[in-house]
């Protein structure tokens, strides 16, 4: 049973470009969460999704960031017009229900030039 | 803002010694507390999910207790080994909440 798969592992973008981060949850998991770890900081919740629905996006910046979890395919975290401050590690996690432990992917390290 | 505090921030332990550290959280509207272990260059790995006041959970040499009335949880490592070196994170879910709020972590370094 494959774990949570994130790709790419490393992503380099220039300021103003778009970044797309992908997350395939574990088989049988319908709950997906995105977290961000800024340099020298801890994990911060961004968004919680179930298939085709955003349940809680209270941790998402108001502009330029969006997330989706379509019926088919991986969850996507999209950052438009990236800025230097978006440089961080972005982790995805999944669980079968909210009450159960979350399984984390290896993260995507986003670097903005 | 929900404050989940972990102390100490870092800890050096001699191999073979036992240690413990704390996660503090607001006690109102408690739903569940998670503990995760995060090794450098890897992803966080779930240790425990604790829901009931007085809960004690154990996994090998690592155990945890929970006091929801006073808002704290302890994680214990018995007979620390170098492979226990990692950052240990606690995370809180409030009742009617949808998300984990993580503490800043306790970074444990076990010296041979």
């Amino acid at each position: 049973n494959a774990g949570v798969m994130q790709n790419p592992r490393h992503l380099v973008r220039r300021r103003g470009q778009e970044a797309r981060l992908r997350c395939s949850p574990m088989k049988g998991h319908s709950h997906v969460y995105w977290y961000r770890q800024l340099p020298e900081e801890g994990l911060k919740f961004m968004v919680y999704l179930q298939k085709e629905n955003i349940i809680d996006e209270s941790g998402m910046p108001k502009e330029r960031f969006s997330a989706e979890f379509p019926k088919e395919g991986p969850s996507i975290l999209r950052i438009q017009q990236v800025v230097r401050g978006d440089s961080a590690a972005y982790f995805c996690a999944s669980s079968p229900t909210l009450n159960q432990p979350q399984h984390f992917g290896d993260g995507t390290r986003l670097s903005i030039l | 803002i929900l404050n989940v505090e972990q102390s100490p921030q870092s800890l050096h332990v001699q191999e073979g010694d036992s240690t413990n550290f704390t996660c503090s959280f607001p006690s109102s509207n408690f739903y569940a507390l998670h503990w995760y272990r995060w090794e450098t260059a890897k992803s966080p790995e779930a240790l425990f999910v604790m829901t009931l006041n007085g809960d004690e959970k154990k996994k090998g040499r690592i155990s945890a207790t929970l006091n929801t009335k006073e808002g704290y949880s302890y994680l214990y490592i018995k007979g620390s080994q170098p492979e226990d070196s990692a950052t240990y994170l606690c995370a809180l879910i409030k009742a009617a909440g949808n998300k984990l709020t993580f503490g800043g972590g306790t970074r444990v370094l076990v010296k041979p």
Side-chain angles (χ1 to χ4, degrees):
Chain A
N1 189 12
V4 176
M5 305 298 293
Q6 286 189 250
N7 67 83
R9 291 290 303 272
H10 300 274
L11 182 61
V12 180
R13 284 287 178 265
R14 295 190 181 279
R15 281 178 293 173
Q17 291 184 320
E18 179 179 287
R20 278 182 178 245
L21 288 61
R22 294 174 191 78
C23 169
S24 296
M26 282 184 72
K27 190 176 179 181
H29 288 194
S30 58
H31 298 242
V32 167
Y33 316 83
W34 285 93
Y35 298 89
R36 178 165 67 173
Q37 184 192 25
L38 292 167
E40 308 301 323
E41 293 189 18
L43 278 176
K44 300 288 187 221
F45 168 83
M46 297 183 78
V47 62
Y48 161 40
L49 310 104
Q50 294 183 38
K51 280 288 184 184
E52 299 184 274
N53 289 308
I54 296 174
I55 307 301
D56 186 332
E57 56 181 347
S58 57
M60 290 276 270
K62 294 282 185 284
E63 296 175 347
R64 302 187 297 107
F65 284 70
S66 62
E68 61 177 10
F69 188 16
K71 189 176 179 182
E72 302 290 337
S75 175
I76 306 286
L77 180 68
R78 183 180 174 207
I79 311 171
Q80 294 178 287
Q81 299 173 340
V82 296
V83 300
R84 288 250 171 89
D86 297 332
S87 295
Y90 292 83
F91 287 91
C92 170
S94 73
S95 65
T97 69
L98 181 61
N99 300 340
Q100 293 179 266
Q102 295 183 10
H103 296 257
F104 282 78
D106 288 336
T108 293
R109 270 85 181 159
L110 176 64
S111 298
I112 309 303
L113 301 179
Chain B
I1 295 176
L2 192 58
N3 284 326
V4 179
E5 304 285 343
Q6 290 189 247
S7 64
Q9 282 190 328
S10 64
L11 200 49
H12 288 198
V13 188
Q14 202 62 41
E15 182 177 357
D17 286 352
S18 296
T19 189
N20 64 82
F21 38 92
T22 310
C23 172
S24 303
F25 49 87
S27 56
S28 59
N29 301 318
F30 175 88
Y31 184 73
L33 189 82
H34 292 213
W35 279 100
Y36 291 85
R37 180 171 176 274
W38 193 1
E39 285 183 73
T40 303
K42 294 188 178 179
S43 53
E45 174 196 351
L47 288 172
F48 308 114
V49 176
M50 310 182 79
T51 55
L52 298 175
N53 185 44
D55 245 357
E56 287 190 32
K57 300 252 178 167
K58 190 175 179 184
K59 188 175 184 177
R61 292 178 292 97
I62 301 177
S63 59
T65 59
L66 178 67
N67 184 323
T68 60
K69 293 187 188 306
E70 295 182 40
Y72 64 84
S73 175
Y74 293 136
L75 194 94
Y76 300 88
I77 305 175
K78 185 177 177 183
S80 305
Q81 299 297 308
E83 59 265 31
D84 297 327
S85 297
T87 297
Y88 292 81
L89 299 169
C90 67
L92 178 71
I93 300 179
K94 300 290 271 182
N98 291 312
K99 62 188 182 186
L100 286 177
T101 299
F102 280 87
T106 292
R107 188 176 175 186
V108 174
L109 180 62
V110 181
K111 297 189 228 181

